[in-house]
Amino acid sequence: MDGLSHLGAALAALAGPWQIAYALGATLAGIMIGLLPGLSATLGVALFTTLTLKMAPADAILVLICVYVGAIYGGSRTAILLNIPGTAANAAACLDGNMLARQGQAGRAMGIATTGSVAGSLFGVLCLAMFTPLLAETALKFGAFEFFWLGMVGVMMSGTLTGSNPIKGWLMGLLGIFVASIGLDPIHAHPRFTFDNNEISGGIGLIPALVGAFGFAEILTVMSQSKLKTMISSVDSVLPKIADLLRYWRTIIRSGLIGVFVGILPGVGEDMAAWSSYAAAKRASKEREKFGKGSVDGLIAAETGDNAAIPGALIPALALGIPGSAPAAVLMAAMIIHGAQPGPMLMVNQPQFVYDVVGITLLATLAILVFGLVLVRPILWVLRVPREVIMPIVFVLCVLGSYSITQRLFDVWVMLGVGIACFWLRRRGFPVAPFVLGLVLGDIVDKSLRRGLVLSDGSLLPFFTRPISAALAALVVVMLLTQIPMVRRWFTPRSKT
Amino acid sequence: MRRGDLTSAGVFAAAGAAILIASLRMDRLTDRGIEAWSVPGLTPGVVGALMIVLSLVLGLQALRAPAQAAADEPAVPGAMRRAGLALLLCVVFAGVTLGHGLPFAVEGAVFIFVFTTLFSWAEWKAAGRVARGLAQTLAVAVGASAFISWLFESVFLVRLP
């Protein structure tokens, strides 16, 4: 009953004209960010974090969640019309969305994408409202040992699943943990890796580093690529057919479940949710041969999965302080900037905040439904703006966004340095998401490891013998072992010759 | 052998070694009587050691892998030249000229104008619309820079560099 009254209060607070205006404006901005290849949801949330610093905390979080939801949805348009995912989360939507567009059904594909996105989001919102309090209550029993392993599981899982080679992902995660350790040590306030430089003593700011990793690096990547192909301009009706919804209800529910589950996994994110949902839909479908050739089932699965992962990624971010995806990591940082403390104590200290997030995600979902069905053609004009014009403007925003938090030029140099490093690493196949997770979770990992060792007087046993710690440690060991070729061969069934 | 991965492994191994050495040499604060298990260099030291181990594994993988699997991204003609030019322009704007006297709105406008012009010049020339392109770009550069500067300075109360 407490939950329902909190949710009612959250929805009532969001019914004001300013809140609705913020939600509509931010969702539209998010859709445009998602539409433009190269501008990711993470960059959108990071840039808007700097733009909303002076806003009231509730309004700022409203804007950021709407940008996040809008960006993941907006990317499907580019996937359908250009066969280029607007964000990484929409890569799976390219396969069938673009094929439908080539068959003269671009409008239908966009309608299906909208329906799938809204259904996935709504399913995720329901899970967010139900599971966040339960998980937070369980997490109240966690100590330093469990938090150390949770942080490590986040970094390692992100490294395992977001790139082609887990070793590269783990190296990026470790690099993130190291970068997070630069500055004053959080326990004894002793300077680490500062070279007696006052600027570095303040640490590497999360937002400048993220803007560099997802903004500047992305600008360099986009400018190194060939020009985009001409988009499909003829658009039929975008109103989804009820028959499509009824026919694929199983796909919607299955993809919603997969999306939420993958979203909850630390640092894995929306793109993996979309691919997992797509693969599951293909396995379950009676029309497998249509997948990749314009399957409605496939498009619904991909778009339901990635949008369900958004609330899914917020569940561990709110309940444990461990973000489920890169944009959720930035959002969590923004929540901290605005005075919320994500983690097990959130449900104790600020229970209303969790339901505010549920209400905001619901509002953002309704906003994408409105824009998805009403503003199709005007929104598509954004795709006609050349990248040569968009990218320098985005860079100016990256510069001011990095600078504006503490108003020091050092943060601009951090943005440049991280951007150049991430561009080089990405070209060599190193995924950026584990670096972000490492950066966000570095503080938890560092403090939990040292506090745990102090509590156990230097013994490593409690890290492996407490029940939840043991389970998390086992997960890390399994992830490590599966990368050893001999172990992999052991578990791979041999084909009879 | 995958040469790119081997180079990356070398860079990460060197970084890991540097982190490990710096962590081992870090003050253990014994004069403050702190617990030996909470020394500031503990976590970075573990991170440095793990980076060395994983770099060695990556290096071994690279040595064993066939050469044709080296490319992580398909080569795009002129990709590095375009990325290099974008990098140069961005670094000159944000890392060199920023905060050295000129108002941000002017610097921003010049950056947007130069960036767009350099990357669009060939296309404008081929289409015979250089003058129109320059005029449009100037308008966009001045308008965008003025708006962004106003937004941060007047709405978000940021003292611009």
Side-chain angles (χ1 to χ4, degrees), chain A residues 110-276:
Chain A
M110 285 191 274
I112 290 165
T114 304
T115 314
S117 300
V118 170
S121 244
L122 288 176
F123 189 86
V125 167
L126 192 68
C127 295
L128 178 65
M130 287 193 320
F131 297 133
T132 309
L134 292 177
L135 188 58
E137 202 176 315
T138 310
L140 281 173
K141 296 175 190 135
F142 288 10
F145 311 100
E146 286 79 13
F147 273 106
F148 167 74
W149 283 120
L150 263 180
M152 288 309 291
V153 165
V155 173
M156 293 207 52
M157 198 171 276
S158 179
T160 307
L161 297 177
T162 54
S164 54
N165 183 348
I167 304 289
K168 290 182 177 180
W170 298 340
L171 276 168
M172 288 298 276
L174 290 172
L175 188 65
I177 295 176
F178 164 69
V179 172
S181 75
I182 295 172
L184 291 184
D185 148 38
I187 296 182
H188 304 299
H190 181 75
R192 295 191 290 197
F193 310 105
T194 59
F195 307 103
D196 295 328
N197 181 309
N198 285 338
E199 299 276 21
I200 306 176
S201 294
I204 302 296
L206 184 65
I207 298 295
L210 290 174
V211 170
F214 286 94
F216 185 34
E218 202 67 60
I219 290 169
L220 295 177
T221 305
V222 169
M223 293 314 295
S224 70
Q225 289 164 348
S226 314
K227 284 210 109 174
L228 297 180
K229 290 168 269 179
T230 313
M231 70 175 206
I232 292 162
S233 53
S234 63
V235 175
D236 53 321
S237 171
V238 295
L239 288 177
K241 291 176 188 161
I242 301 294
D244 280 343
L245 292 179
L246 295 177
R247 191 172 167 200
Y248 298 108
W249 67 272
R250 282 192 190 89
T251 304
I252 291 174
I253 292 176
R254 187 194 316 111
S255 306
L257 278 170
I258 294 172
V260 170
F261 175 72
V262 175
I264 290 173
L265 297 179
V268 177
E270 296 80 14
D271 44 346
M272 188 56 70
W275 283 116
S276 307

